[in-house]
Amino acid sequence: MNPPHSAYVDESMRVSSGLYLMAAVLVPSACAEGYRAVLRGLLLRNQRRLHWRDEKDKRRVQLVEAIGALRPCGIVIIGTGLDRGRQERARRKCMERLLWELGRRHVGDVVFERRHSELDVRDRDMVEALRGRHAMAPRLRASWEAPDEEPLLWLPDIVAGAALLAEAGQEAYWKGLGCDLDAERFAVD
């Protein structure tokens, strides 16, 4: 039996298109340090972290090529029908769906990108509510980390950014990441 994967999770949204995405990239325990080294090697001078929205097209191509070479696997949950004033609701719906899907895979730890302390508390409360309803696998352990401290959180940021562009018809980045990434759509309204 293979050692469990850890899932690293980040989100992206395009309110004008009514989309909220939550991406999880699965990292085998044995590969984590190697992936971190590759990701740190992609940093430019004075850059503390990789962040899709801060990168220009040429740089995005470089990032996608490097990440694609790692052959990432994972899932992107695409919530459609996002209402401008209900972003947190869309997040909760996507989180619920994502945690259910991760429970069907060989995942032990789920690491979310830390947001604001109050928002992280809401996420933790959501996880506990899902546990109470038996709506997520009991073996899943959730934690929140800062992307400046955990380079593996850069993976789902890039995947989510590429998926969001693919939803707008710009599929080259998404295709460059490889074929082991699933995307599932559902209405969050």
Side-chain angles (χ1 to χ4, degrees):
M1 183 170 178
N2 292 332
H5 293 74
S6 294
Y8 293 85
V9 180
D10 194 15
E11 87 286 333
S12 187
M13 71 182 110
R14 179 167 288 143
V15 177
S16 62
S17 300
L19 297 172
Y20 193 103
L21 284 76
M22 192 166 274
V25 176
L26 309 185
V27 177
S29 300
C31 298
E33 284 308 314
Y35 283 18
R36 286 183 184 104
V38 167
L39 291 163
R40 286 185 186 111
L42 293 169
L43 291 172
L44 299 174
R45 176 179 279 168
N46 297 323
Q47 193 176 24
R48 293 182 46 129
R49 67 172 280 202
L50 298 177
H51 200 240
W52 184 260
R53 75 168 187 228
D54 297 336
E55 304 292 351
K56 303 282 187 237
D57 288 341
K58 184 177 178 181
R59 175 80 166 138
R60 286 178 174 176
V61 169
Q62 293 171 333
L63 295 176
V64 164
E65 287 174 355
I67 303 309
L70 297 175
R71 300 186 46 87
C73 66
I75 185 167
V76 178
I77 300 298
I78 304 167
T80 62
L82 170 66
D83 182 328
R84 181 175 302 277
R86 302 187 74 185
Q87 295 171 13
E88 284 301 304
R89 180 179 188 283
R91 179 181 179 83
R92 288 190 308 274
K93 298 290 256 178
C94 288
M95 181 183 290
E96 179 175 9
R97 181 74 172 264
L98 180 66
L99 289 170
W100 175 260
E101 291 296 331
L102 292 175
R104 298 173 56 205
R105 291 171 164 87
H106 197 55
V107 173
D109 294 304
V110 182
V111 181
F112 291 93
E113 181 174 326
R114 185 177 294 156
R115 301 187 296 157
H116 179 277
S117 60
E118 180 181 317
L119 297 176
D120 291 345
V121 167
R122 288 183 192 173
D123 285 352
R124 285 183 181 91
D125 290 345
M126 175 67 179
V127 168
E128 289 310 310
L130 293 172
R131 280 191 203 289
R133 293 187 349 231
H134 306 287
M136 65 180 274
R139 76 174 182 288
L140 291 178
R141 294 175 304 271
S143 63
W144 286 259
E145 295 189 30
D148 290 351
E149 298 167 13
E150 178 51 87
L152 294 175
L153 286 166
W154 306 344
L155 291 169
D157 175 76
I158 291 166
V159 168
L164 194 60
L165 287 176
E167 288 295 307
Q170 299 175 34
E171 296 182 0
Y173 298 121
W174 177 254
K175 289 179 180 176
L177 290 172
C179 61
D180 290 332
L181 294 164
D182 298 325
E184 293 193 17
R185 287 171 188 71
F186 77 106
V188 295
D189 54 354

